[in-house]
Amino acid sequence: MNLHDSLLPPHAEMVRAMLERDTAYEGVFFTAVKTTGIFCRPSCTARKPKPENVEFFAHADEAMSAGYRACLRCKPLDAAAIAPHWIQALLKAVDAEPDLRWTDALLLEQGIEPLTLRRWFKQHFGMTFHAYLRTRRLGIALGGIKDGASIDNAAFDSGYESLSGFRDAFVKSFHITPGRAGLSEPLLFTRLTTPLGPMLAMAERRGLVLLEFLDRPALTKELEELQQRYGYTVAPGHNAHLQQIETELAEYFAGKLTVFNVPLHMPGSAFAVRVWAELQTIPYGETRSYGAVASALGSPGASRAVGLANGQNRLAIVIPCHRVIGADGSLTGYGGGQPRKAFLLRLEKAKVQVSLPLAF
């Protein structure tokens, strides 16, 4: 079987999504126009070609292998590409020496154009590189205060020459004073690029807390709940859990990983935590109905409550709520959008079918 073809939605569905510029299909497929030799995202704003002049690909590299070049308007490679090597190298250097002052002159010495770097960080993190560094240093200070460091030491270790300047920056970033930081748990975040679009990953010292698509409608509410109900203070940064989920996600989308091993921390109600634990028992490549999950929990009449807990899952893909479907086989809801849910199920099913031994 052709693994790549099995990842594509039905042809008529892709034609409709292309003609309507449906953003829910970002990363699910790419549109290639035979008459121009160009391939695009489904939501490209360019004039739409006739359906008979179009072919579809599951991955950008397949379109390029077929001789198509990327559209200059919608830039389809930006949707699928990981951070460029020079960004990866820079982030590793920042992790290795968090106190180093990255001036424009130093960036130029490393062959990095400051304006290009600024644009990349604004697009991917919503802030400039230097703002990212400042907030990251404050996040380290937050962790230090949480571990018992004095506010004075945290301020000077962060590069601030005055306590007032440190306090003002701290309050501006975290909306709490340094004196109250010891009561708050640092929650580090980073942005991950996946074939289905960018995701936000957040982790504290105990494990991964959140992994969501950035366009998930409920994301803002989830972040507010983590901060207000569970006492987290959010800051950009990296830790072992974020590094691990980045690696494991890449392996998952490449069809090389079927079980995630990254440590998790899942604050929630007792029932929701039970549901999330049950979701993790659904094997890769299989699905369960809401009723089946409720029955497995010993509450066969709790299908609606299971659906609610499913929707409250903050760890997309890792806690596989996408494997829960309606009793009639319908996809039903999914926070990341049903096209993504269908893609994930096709990916897993295709991998399982390819892995099955041949019958002779």
Side-chain angles (χ1 to χ4, degrees):
M1 74 181 283
N2 188 317
L3 177 60
H4 291 159
D5 286 347
S6 68
L7 299 180
L8 290 171
H11 187 271
E13 183 180 338
M14 291 189 289
V15 169
R16 181 205 61 77
M18 174 195 71
L19 295 177
E20 296 178 6
R21 298 185 173 91
D22 193 335
T23 58
Y25 288 79
E26 282 292 315
V28 174
F29 69 86
F30 294 89
T31 301
V33 185
K34 301 174 184 177
T35 52
T36 63
I38 292 174
F39 75 98
C40 305
R41 303 185 190 193
S43 59
C44 184
T45 57
R47 181 179 178 181
K48 293 302 178 182
K50 295 179 180 179
E52 59 266 27
N53 292 331
V54 169
E55 59 179 323
F56 300 101
F57 295 93
H59 302 292
D61 57 353
E62 297 171 34
M64 290 189 292
S65 296
Y68 292 97
R69 63 186 186 278
C71 173
L72 295 178
R73 176 175 295 188
C74 68
K75 300 180 179 178
L77 294 179
D78 288 353
I82 62 172
H85 293 302
W86 59 276
I87 286 287
Q88 296 181 51
L90 179 60
L91 290 176
K92 288 180 180 178
V94 169
D95 286 339
E97 295 186 76
D99 296 329
L100 182 63
R101 299 297 173 181
W102 286 90
T103 63
D104 285 355
L106 180 56
L107 290 170
L108 289 169
E109 287 179 10
Q110 302 297 317
I112 299 173
E113 168 55 49
L115 182 58
T116 301
L117 180 64
R118 177 187 177 89
R119 289 171 177 166
W120 192 92
F121 264 82
K122 285 288 288 184
Q123 178 185 359
H124 292 82
F125 283 90
M127 63 182 75
T128 66
F129 175 63
H130 294 296
Y132 169 85
L133 292 179
R134 287 193 297 271
T135 309
R136 189 181 184 282
R137 284 195 294 271
L138 288 170
I140 294 173
L142 171 65
I145 295 172
K146 178 72 177 178
D147 291 337
S150 70
I151 295 176
D152 287 9
N153 287 339
F156 295 127
D157 288 346
S158 300
Y160 287 85
E161 297 180 357
S162 71
L163 289 178
S164 61
F166 173 73
R167 183 187 183 282
D168 291 345
F170 199 95
V171 171
K172 183 178 180 180
S173 291
F174 303 135
H175 307 292
I176 60 171
T177 63
R180 294 184 57 81
L183 304 175
S184 181
E185 180 70 31
L187 186 62
L188 302 182
F189 74 87
T190 190
R191 181 188 186 278
L192 305 178
T193 304
T194 79
L196 292 182
M199 300 187 78
L200 180 69
M202 310 183 82
E204 50 131 287
R205 64 192 73 197
R206 287 171 289 188
L208 188 69
V209 174
L210 180 143
L211 180 67
E212 292 281 27
F213 290 102
L214 281 177
D215 58 2
R216 171 170 164 77
L219 180 57
T220 299
K221 183 178 179 181
E222 289 178 340
L223 295 178
E224 290 175 350
E225 183 182 41
L226 288 172
Q227 292 173 293
Q228 298 173 10
R229 183 174 181 180
Y230 297 107
Y232 284 112
T233 301
V234 176
H238 278 81
N239 59 22
H241 307 314
L242 293 176
Q243 293 168 354
Q244 183 174 350
I245 188 56
E246 184 172 15
T247 298
E248 291 188 355
L249 264 184
E251 293 176 349
Y252 170 84
F253 279 109
K256 299 177 181 178
L257 182 143
T258 60
V259 177
F260 288 90
N261 297 305
V262 61
L264 308 178
H265 182 66
M266 306 174 290
S269 69
F271 182 77
V273 170
R274 289 179 61 209
V275 171
W276 299 336
E278 183 61 30
L279 295 182
Q280 293 177 79
T281 69
I282 305 175
Y284 180 97
E286 298 184 16
T287 57
R288 297 286 187 274
S289 68
Y290 293 95
V293 174
S295 295
L297 293 170
S299 304
S303 296
R304 188 178 297 274
V306 166
L308 179 62
N310 217 48
Q312 294 171 340
N313 173 31
R314 303 183 198 91
L315 290 163
I317 303 177
V318 176
I319 295 181
C321 58
H322 61 277
R323 295 176 192 162
V324 183
I325 61 176
D328 60 356
S330 60
L331 294 184
T332 65
Y334 183 63
Q338 286 192 11
R340 287 188 177 122
K341 181 172 184 172
F343 179 96
L344 295 172
L345 293 177
R346 287 194 300 268
L347 172 68
E348 295 180 2
K349 183 178 180 181
K351 171 63 177 176
V352 169
Q353 290 178 342
V354 168
S355 302
L356 290 175
L358 295 176
F360 294 97

